[in-house]
Amino acid sequence: MPTIKIESEKCKGCSLCIDVCPYELIRQERTINHQGYQYVVLADPEEQCTGCTLCALMCPDICIEVFK
Amino acid sequence: MKQVFAKPKALNDEIMHYCPGCGHGVAHRLVAEALDHYDITGRTVGVAPVGCSVLMYDYFNCDIIEAPHGRAPAVATGMKRSRSDLIVFAYQGDGDLASIGLAEIVHAANRGENITVIFINNTVYGMTGGQMAPTTLLGQKTTTSPYGRNFNTDGYPIRMAEMLAPLEGTTYVARMSLDKPVNILKARKSVFKAFEMQINNVGFSFVELLTICPTNWGMDSMESIKRIQDEMIPYFPLGVFKEKETEDYI
Ligand SMILES: Cc1ncc(C[n+]2csc(CCOP(=O)(O)OP(=O)(O)O)c2C)c(N)n1
Ligand code: SF4
Ligand code: SF4
Ligand code: SF4
């Protein structure tokens, strides 16, 4: 199943990845990482991720790896 | 399972100091992807500007030299002329390139130096707190244009790609935007092309990238992306303004 891996310690919570995911599979956590940002996580219980890489293309901090 | 998207090898694992959403991160990634693609990291030297990306040497695995404000094209010229085996790129913001460094970029382009320039247009001086840049749009409020940019006193926003394209010395001139995935893919192609021009000794290549500066625009990332689409792209049209063939080169 295609999936993504988000490096939460690098994430700055800018939410650019959230907006581009066609299935709205990324959401922001309420807790913060060591940088002080509310990082994002993949929430894909139904394994909908297609590995389209749109989220990774948008991420300015290169926190997202995509597997297919 | 195969990895289909990974951090380019030309970047290290440092956390970049840029603000959340800042366009410098994607611009760095595209340059690094070009270095990976052509396998040139070991013989590439970048020239960093003065501006938010002044610390880019912390993130790249190639050599980076720091130039005085606006002088990156002059430093890159010297580097490339003395070591033509190197791939040399300048990376500059709009305050750096279009304001204090305007003479250096125009003359380097006009001389047709065989270098690559990546130009980050975020319509403000980012590092120093959001002052008006030559690229600031009419009506745009900045710390030095609190009532909005007025052409009577401040002149018009400068279109660098259109200014450089007609010069005989330039071989590839494009403007791209980092506002959405499809445009980021086009920008990647353009940055690759710019490096390819230099590798093939065709001459001076220039890619302008429209990017967001949420901090100094006083917007969140999503509002900033919308501003690129609604306000910047209509004034700064995207496209390839010039592309010479190798054979054109005299
Ligand atoms: C000779 C000189 N003049 C002025 C400055 C102050 N200064 C530092 S960064 C900067 C502007 C940078 O803006 P830009 O090139 O748009 O880059 P950004 O920070 O937006 O990436 C200025 C004016 C300086 N460091 N040196
Ligand atoms: S790869 Fe595509 S489908 Fe999967 S999380 Fe990212 S944007 Fe969503
Ligand atoms: S785009 Fe990157 S930095 Fe921004 S929220 Fe998503 S993973 Fe985090
Ligand atoms: S001030 Fe603007 S250009 Fe500088 S790091 Fe922050 S968002 Fe980027």
Side-chain angles (χ1 to χ4, degrees), chain A residues 4 21-23 25-26 42 49-55 66:
Chain A
I4 63 168
C21 177
Y23 303 100
L25 301 177
I26 304 174
L42 175 72
C49 175
T50 57
C52 67
T53 76
L54 296 180
C55 53
V66 186

Side-chain angles (χ1 to χ4, degrees), chain B residues 100-116:
Chain B
I100 192 170
L102 190 68
E104 278 73 17
I105 185 64
V106 171
H107 286 293
N110 191 52
R111 293 192 304 268
E113 300 295 341
N114 188 26
I115 58 172
T116 300

Side-chain angles (χ1 to χ4, degrees), chain B residues 10 54 64-65 78 82 91 135 145 149 183 202 229:
Chain B
V54 67
I64 305 273
I65 187 170
S82 50
Y91 182 103
T135 45
S145 58
R149 183 177 187 157
N183 282 346
V202 185
Q229 295 162 350

Side-chain angles (χ1 to χ4, degrees), chain B residues 117-132:
Chain B
V117 178
I118 307 297
F119 171 46
I120 307 300
N121 180 352
N122 59 14
T123 73
V124 282
Y125 287 15
M127 186 195 212
T128 42
Q131 291 84 0
M132 181 170 56

